[in-house]
């Protein structure tokens, strides 16, 4: 077993699997350690612990709590500490996967297959959460355009291999390291990724993304612009870019401000996670299907004869009707919508912070704590991106985001964020500028200005 893999497995077993102290507020503990490890432990012991949502070594029978020894009580306290999910460390572990994405086996990175009426694309890097590389982007784009033109291909399906992730994002460590060795990579990667995202958004044939598992960053770009996005109880959505000195790209400026109320602003600035059925209720997914029905769903889609968008919708609707998981559970943000709409309707980050402070609710203070750990420059860029994107077309948003991506590559915070999370792993980024008030209009205008002949062309 390689060093990277050994280190990753050690992290997954030892750390409380939660989201990073920079990143995201805690959700109710429906997302436990076993969720990220699902599919990794094959023994009965592992399966039993997944059902209990507790790591095997920490399991205690509640009926025995009054009779445990002093040493067991110490273990019980440790169990409680492990199960108090700090919302930053889970995404931290996910981000660390993105820095370990060297493709070492002989398997193709993307499987491209014609099945029945459909072209099926499978992201095939399950050991690194199907992280996206430039070569994968090129293969997907080329095949997508080919299938779009072929009369015998009536449907396109996008999915990820394995049980952990659809796609956890791009290979950000390689991108950060390329600044000195291959500076053109950042230009090519973002340009071609956004062109692919736009092609998905304008695809003339039904496009179905099965977003089972972790779906972040680049994975969102491969799914959210398609006509159909199918979530399962294992789907975990987040846009955590402000925690690494970046911004929620891949068309975030288009789809985030179009979510209900100001939910998109919350997701963009804090990286708040949505899981399972909440991914659909929040407007990211179009459908929700039980994960054990995905194989049958795919078979039924492939069996369609020259399906129209309406034919595909009928099949997805039928499967969604049969799904009972969390059917009656309210949207995780429902009780906080008044707070979200009021606090995140401000036109400046400073005013949003003040609104959260004045609200004073537990939820508001959690978001406030999260925002204060993010890159100040990223927060300012992101808010303006979302506000401007609310009135732009999809193509205009990608042109804007390409400009922003290159501004971030010229700056300091992206490399510092990658250093703190992936390289030194001290989780203590030194942002520059360090305070919101130090970020000038001149700085922001420079980030958003045209690149002239180097602007993205769609």
């Amino acid at each position: 077993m390689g060093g990277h893999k050994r280190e990753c497995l050690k992290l997954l077993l030892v750390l409380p699997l939660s989201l990073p102290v920079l990143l995201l507020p805690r959700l109710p503990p429906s997302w436990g350690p076993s969720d990220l490890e699902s599919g990794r432990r094959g023994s009965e012991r592992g399966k039993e612990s997944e059902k209990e949502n507790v790591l095997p070594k920490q399991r205690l029978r509640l009926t025995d709590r009054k009779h445990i020894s002093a040493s067991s009580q110490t273990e019980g306290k440790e169990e409680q500490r492990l199960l108090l999910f700090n919302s930053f460390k889970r995404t931290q572990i996910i981000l660390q996967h993105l820095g370990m994405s060297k493709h070492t086996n002989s398997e193709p990175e993307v499987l491209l297959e014609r099945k029945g009426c459909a072209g099926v694309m499978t992201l095939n890097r399950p050991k690194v959460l199907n992280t996206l590389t430039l070569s994968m982007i090129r293969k997907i784009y080329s095949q997508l355009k080919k299938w779009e033109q072929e009369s015998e291909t009536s449907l396109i399906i996008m999915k990820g291999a394995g049980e952990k992730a659809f796609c956890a994002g791009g290979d950000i460590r390689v991108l950060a390291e390329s600044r000195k060795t291959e500076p053109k990579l950042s230009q090519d990667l973002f340009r071609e990724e956004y062109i692919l995202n736009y092609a998905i958004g304008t695809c003339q044939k039904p496009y179905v993304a099965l977003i089972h598992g972790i779906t972040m960053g680049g994975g969102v770009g491969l799914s959210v612009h398609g006509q159909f996005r199918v979530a399962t109880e294992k789907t975990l959505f987040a846009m955590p870019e402000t925690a690494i000195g970046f911004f929620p790209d891949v068309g975030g400026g288009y789809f985030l401000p179009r979510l209900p109320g100001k939910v998109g602003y919350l997701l963009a600035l804090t990286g708040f996670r949505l899981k399972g059925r909440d991914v659909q209720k929040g407007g990211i997914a179009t459908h929700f299907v039980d994960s054990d029905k995905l194989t049958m769903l795919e078979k039924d889609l492939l069996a369609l004869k020259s399906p129209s968008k309406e034919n595909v919708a009928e099949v997805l609707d039928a499967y969604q009707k049969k799904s009972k998981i969390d059917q009656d559970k309210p949207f995780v943000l429902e009780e906080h919508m008044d707070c979200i709409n009021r606090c995140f309707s401000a036109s400046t980050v400073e005013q949003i912070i003040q609104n959260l402070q004045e609200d004073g609710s537990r939820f508001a203070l959690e978001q406030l704590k999260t925002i204060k750990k993010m890159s100040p420059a990223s927060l300012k860029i992101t808010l303006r991106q979302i506000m401007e994107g609310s009135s732009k077309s999809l193509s205009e948003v990608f042109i804007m985001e390409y400009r922003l991506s290159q501004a971030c590559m010229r700056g300091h915070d992206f490399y510092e964020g990658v250093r703190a999370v992936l390289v030194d792993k001290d989780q203590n980024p030194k942002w520059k500028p360090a305070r919101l008030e130090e970020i000038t209009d001149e700085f922001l205008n420079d980030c958003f200005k045209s690149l002239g002949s180097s602007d993205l062309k769609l």
Side-chain angles (χ1 to χ4, degrees):
M1 184 182 294
H4 279 315
K5 187 173 180 182
R6 217 172 20 244
E7 180 185 1
C8 177
L9 291 178
K10 182 179 177 184
L11 279 167
L12 290 171
L13 288 169
V14 176
L15 288 175
L17 298 179
S18 357
L19 278 176
V21 235
L22 297 172
L23 271 184
L24 311 173
R26 290 194 297 272
L27 289 179
S30 59
W31 178 262
S34 59
D35 287 0
L36 190 56
E37 294 194 311
S38 176
R40 187 178 63 83
R41 295 195 297 261
S43 67
E44 289 301 314
R45 180 184 180 199
K47 291 177 182 176
E48 181 183 347
S49 70
E50 288 175 5
K51 291 179 182 177
E52 296 179 17
N53 204 27
V54 179
L55 292 174
K57 291 185 179 180
Q58 279 87 46
R59 284 181 296 164
L60 291 173
R61 292 177 54 197
L62 294 175
T63 53
D64 295 338
R65 288 287 169 89
K66 294 181 180 179
H67 309 289
I68 55 180
S69 64
S71 62
S72 295
Q73 288 176 350
T74 301
E75 291 177 7
K77 290 179 180 178
E78 181 66 12
E79 173 197 10
Q80 291 176 345
R81 185 188 70 79
L82 287 170
L83 294 178
L84 287 174
F85 297 129
N86 175 309
S87 67
F88 193 73
K89 288 182 180 175
R90 182 186 302 281
T91 297
Q92 180 182 25
I93 291 169
I94 293 169
L95 289 172
Q96 286 168 356
H97 271 85
L98 304 189
M100 297 161 51
S101 55
K102 186 176 180 181
H103 196 67
T104 54
N105 60 36
S106 57
E107 288 289 318
E109 295 178 315
V110 187
L111 303 178
L112 305 168
E113 305 168 281
R114 269 294 310 279
K115 295 182 178 180
C117 69
V120 181
M121 301 186 184
T122 306
L123 307 173
N124 193 38
R125 308 179 72 209
K127 292 182 180 179
V128 288
L129 306 181
N130 295 320
T131 50
L132 196 59
T133 66
L134 180 56
S135 62
M136 293 168 72
I137 289 168
R138 288 172 172 168
K139 289 171 185 174
I140 293 169
Y141 178 78
S142 174
Q143 193 64 55
L144 177 69
K145 300 307 286 185
K146 181 180 178 182
W147 280 337
E148 193 175 14
Q149 299 300 318
E150 288 180 354
S151 59
E152 58 266 36
T153 304
S154 305
L155 169 67
I156 296 169
I157 297 174
M158 173 70 75
K159 61 181 182 174
E163 289 297 309
K164 292 181 181 179
F166 168 68
C167 174
D171 195 336
I172 56 178
R173 183 166 182 170
V174 167
L175 187 60
E177 291 173 347
S178 72
R179 173 171 55 165
K180 296 179 180 178
T181 59
E182 195 180 352
K184 194 172 179 291
L185 176 63
S186 63
Q187 299 172 26
D188 294 341
L189 189 145
F190 288 114
R191 179 183 292 109
E192 296 185 45
E193 181 177 20
Y194 297 171
I195 289 173
L196 170 59
N197 298 156
Y198 183 70
I200 291 170
T202 56
C203 184
Q204 297 302 302
K205 293 185 176 177
Y207 181 98
V208 180
L210 305 177
I211 53 174
H212 175 61
I214 297 164
T215 304
M216 296 185 180
V220 176
L222 291 179
S223 56
V224 75
H225 303 294
Q227 291 177 344
F228 303 103
R229 292 90 65 189
V230 182
T232 74
E233 74 278 7
K234 293 295 183 182
T235 302
L236 173 66
F237 167 91
M239 296 293 280
E241 288 83 1
T242 55
I244 55 166
F246 203 58
F247 65 97
D249 65 332
V250 295
Y254 185 82
F255 75 85
L256 288 168
R258 288 166 173 80
L259 297 180
K262 294 294 180 178
V263 166
Y265 290 72
L266 168 74
L267 300 179
L269 294 171
T270 70
F272 195 96
R273 298 171 299 157
L274 295 177
K275 182 179 180 287
R277 201 178 279 270
D278 286 329
V279 179
Q280 184 206 9
K281 290 180 177 178
I284 301 299
T286 58
H287 292 81
F288 179 88
V289 173
D290 299 352
S291 61
D292 61 1
K293 299 294 192 296
L294 279 182
T295 301
M296 186 60 68
L297 169 62
E298 187 176 341
K299 286 182 180 178
D300 285 350
L301 289 173
L302 296 178
L304 294 171
K305 305 298 182 184
S306 302
S308 64
K309 179 182 177 181
E310 290 72 25
N311 299 145
V312 174
E314 286 174 10
V315 173
L316 296 177
D317 290 345
Y319 271 84
Q320 179 169 275
K321 277 186 179 178
K322 297 174 188 174
S323 175
K324 304 301 180 186
I325 296 175
D326 293 334
Q327 187 178 36
D328 300 320
K329 185 178 176 182
F331 180 40
V332 69
L333 294 174
E334 185 176 306
E335 63 180 304
H336 306 298
M337 284 305 297
D338 287 344
C339 170
I340 292 168
N341 292 339
R342 182 174 60 254
C343 293
F344 287 87
S345 62
S347 59
T348 66
V349 178
E350 291 89 341
Q351 187 61 52
I352 290 174
I353 288 174
Q354 184 177 330
N355 290 347
L356 291 169
Q357 288 172 331
E358 291 176 354
D359 182 279
S361 65
R362 180 179 176 183
F363 176 81
L365 295 179
E366 285 178 344
Q367 311 321 309
L368 178 62
K369 184 178 179 181
T370 298
I371 282 179
K372 286 186 173 180
K373 291 174 180 176
M374 302 304 193
S375 157
S378 289
L379 291 173
K380 290 263 192 173
I381 288 171
T382 296
L383 181 58
R384 180 165 163 181
Q385 167 210 5
I386 302 303
M387 291 175 65
E388 291 194 8
S390 66
S391 60
K392 289 182 181 293
S393 67
L394 184 60
S395 61
E396 290 171 335
V397 164
F398 280 121
I399 291 169
M400 171 182 68
E401 290 183 356
Y402 183 71
R403 294 170 182 173
L404 295 178
S405 74
Q406 299 310 295
C408 288
M409 294 304 102
R410 296 192 302 267
H412 165 272
D413 280 6
F414 173 71
Y415 304 99
E416 175 60 12
V418 172
R419 180 206 64 76
V421 174
L422 296 181
V423 182
D424 298 336
K425 301 176 185 176
D426 58 22
Q427 317 313 322
N428 187 30
K430 306 297 183 186
W431 305 123
K432 291 181 183 179
R435 298 180 302 166
L436 287 168
E437 53 267 34
E438 295 177 45
I439 299 166
T440 65
D441 289 341
E442 183 182 5
F443 169 83
L444 281 177
N445 291 337
D446 186 63
C447 293
F448 282 80
K449 74 179 182 181
S450 171
L451 299 175
S453 62
S454 297
D455 259 338
L456 180 66
K457 297 173 181 62
L458 294 170

